[in-house]
Amino acid sequence: MSVQERKERERAERERLIVATARELAEQQGWDAVTTRRLAERIEYSQPVLYSHFRGKREIIGAVALEGAAEMASAVRAAASRANGPRERVAALARAYLDFAEHNPAVYDALFQLDGGLAYAQEDTPEPLKDAFAALFECLAEVAGDGVHPGMFTEVFWAALHGLATLTRAGRLLPEDAAPRVELLVDRLAVV
């Protein structure tokens, strides 16, 4: 291995450490607790080293969001692939999405609530975000119904899931009613 390859590998490892530490800190104490000073202390590097990877907290949030998008896409696809039939796939997708939001609140916030400097629904949208939407689209397009644009149906279904996730987390909806809400959403919106 050349010196250059070793340096690139070490740089990538430091970047992964910064993102993992930011994510861990955010999940434990919230995003307000994530500062460049605290991150530098936790990873035992100087702030200038941290700034050599990310220009600031906004870019770190973006990196966490991209990592989370890939994880969410994987979770949704895995859940849908284990289900039989369109209705069961859509219900499994909905449960996987809501479970992801519940178990990864800081990552979910990085994806959908905070400014991570990422473009959404544009030409320059990063691939992990496009793939997360594609994971929803792959399952939902088949149940959009005649004359309904599958992309728009996916957006509306996703918006409903986001609303359920956000309102439940904020204590505006009772968590014990999550399963009946998913059933209602699937029964009323999906054409199966």
Side-chain angles (χ1 to χ4, degrees), residues 50-130:
L50 193 139
Y51 283 117
S52 74
H53 290 274
F54 299 99
R55 286 183 286 196
K57 183 175 175 177
R58 181 177 186 223
E59 283 189 5
I60 294 168
I61 290 169
V64 170
L66 294 176
E67 189 176 271
E71 292 171 10
M72 186 176 70
S74 178
V76 164
R77 284 188 175 110
S81 73
R82 292 189 297 270
N84 296 317
R87 186 193 186 292
E88 290 77 17
R89 276 192 293 280
V90 174
L93 170 148
R95 285 190 299 274
Y97 182 98
L98 295 171
D99 286 347
F100 181 87
E102 178 185 355
H103 293 96
N104 303 281
V107 174
Y108 193 81
D109 285 349
L111 268 165
F112 302 119
Q113 306 286 64
L114 302 174
D115 179 9
L118 303 173
Y120 285 78
Q122 298 175 22
E123 287 298 317
D124 60 340
T125 297
E127 281 306 312
L129 298 179
K130 288 180 181 178

Side-chain angles (χ1 to χ4, degrees), residues 143-160:
V143 297
D146 293 337
V148 177
H149 187 279
M152 188 174 292
F153 178 77
T154 301
E155 291 171 349
V156 169
F157 200 92
W158 169 30

Side-chain angles (χ1 to χ4, degrees), residues 1-188:
M1 174 182 301
S2 74
V3 172
Q4 182 64 26
E5 290 172 328
R6 181 181 54 77
K7 286 183 178 184
E8 288 174 11
R9 187 186 74 222
E10 289 171 354
R11 180 173 175 74
E13 288 173 7
R14 270 194 315 272
E15 194 165 301
R16 279 191 296 277
L17 177 62
I18 293 166
V19 172
T21 304
R23 182 176 175 167
E24 178 183 321
L25 187 56
E27 291 292 0
Q28 291 171 352
Q29 299 177 30
W31 278 104
D32 287 342
V34 179
T35 64
T36 54
R37 180 183 302 243
R38 282 184 96 180
L39 284 175
E41 289 171 3
R42 283 210 176 188
I43 64 172
E44 299 178 343
Y45 284 101
S46 67
Q47 282 183 294
V49 169
L50 193 139
Y51 283 117
S52 74
H53 290 274
F54 299 99
R55 286 183 286 196
K57 183 175 175 177
R58 181 177 186 223
E59 283 189 5
I60 294 168
I61 290 169
V64 170
L66 294 176
E67 189 176 271
E71 292 171 10
M72 186 176 70
S74 178
V76 164
R77 284 188 175 110
S81 73
R82 292 189 297 270
N84 296 317
R87 186 193 186 292
E88 290 77 17
R89 276 192 293 280
V90 174
L93 170 148
R95 285 190 299 274
Y97 182 98
L98 295 171
D99 286 347
F100 181 87
E102 178 185 355
H103 293 96
N104 303 281
V107 174
Y108 193 81
D109 285 349
L111 268 165
F112 302 119
Q113 306 286 64
L114 302 174
D115 179 9
L118 303 173
Y120 285 78
Q122 298 175 22
E123 287 298 317
D124 60 340
T125 297
E127 281 306 312
L129 298 179
K130 288 180 181 178
D131 189 53
F133 184 80
L136 299 174
F137 181 85
E138 291 160 8
C139 183
L140 294 170
E142 71 178 318
V143 297
D146 293 337
V148 177
H149 187 279
M152 188 174 292
F153 178 77
T154 301
E155 291 171 349
V156 169
F157 200 92
W158 169 30
L161 290 174
H162 176 71
L164 290 174
T166 303
L167 291 169
T168 300
R169 185 166 152 209
R172 304 302 195 268
L173 298 176
L174 296 173
E176 57 268 20
D177 291 337
R181 282 191 203 97
V182 167
E183 295 302 314
L184 179 63
L185 183 63
V186 172
D187 288 342
R188 299 297 176 165

